[in-house]
Structure formats: structure tokens, C-alpha cells
Amino acid sequence: MKEQNERPSTGAVQEAQEVVRELRDALARAGIVLPSLGLDALTLAADPPRPLIELGRCTVETAGRLAVVLPGERGRS
């Protein structure tokens, strides 16, 4: 019975870890590294865990690179 209760929690954490890997890979393809990118430990302690992804801090240069690669508002004057 306990195993059934653990599966959704484990699944949520595994899914969040996969998303972090995908985001890290996508950022790397754009030449961007966020050193603090990872799962927020406090949100993993909830029962059940509700993982949030911590993007962390970055340099001004990295923030500028993010601004360049992220899509802008369409139709902006």
C-alpha cells in the first residue's frame, strides 16, 4: 500500500528532474548556462511533493542573452 502512495510523489519529482534537464539542454544550445538551475528543495519536502524549478541568479550578461533568445511581444510598436 505504501508503494502506491509513493508513486505519484516519485513521478512528480522525476518529471520535474526531466524538465530541468530539458531546460538545461535547451539553454546550452542557446549558449546560456544558469548555474543555479535545479529543483527547489523546500517544495520537494511537501507531502505530496509539488516541485518547483529554481532558475536561480545569473549575471547581467546571461540575462541579456536570455532577453535576446526569448520571443518578444508580437505587434509591439
Side-chain angles (χ1 to χ4, degrees), residues 39-53:
L39 296 181
D40 176 60
L42 290 177
T43 60
L44 298 176
D47 186 24
R50 298 183 187 269
L52 292 177
I53 296 172

Side-chain angles (χ1 to χ4, degrees), residues 10-42:
T10 302
V13 173
Q14 287 175 341
E15 180 181 359
Q17 289 170 329
E18 180 61 28
V19 169
V20 167
R21 279 190 290 275
E22 290 172 4
L23 180 56
R24 184 176 286 119
D25 291 347
L27 289 168
R29 287 190 298 275
I32 298 169
V33 175
L34 295 178
S36 302
L37 179 62
L39 296 181
D40 176 60
L42 290 177

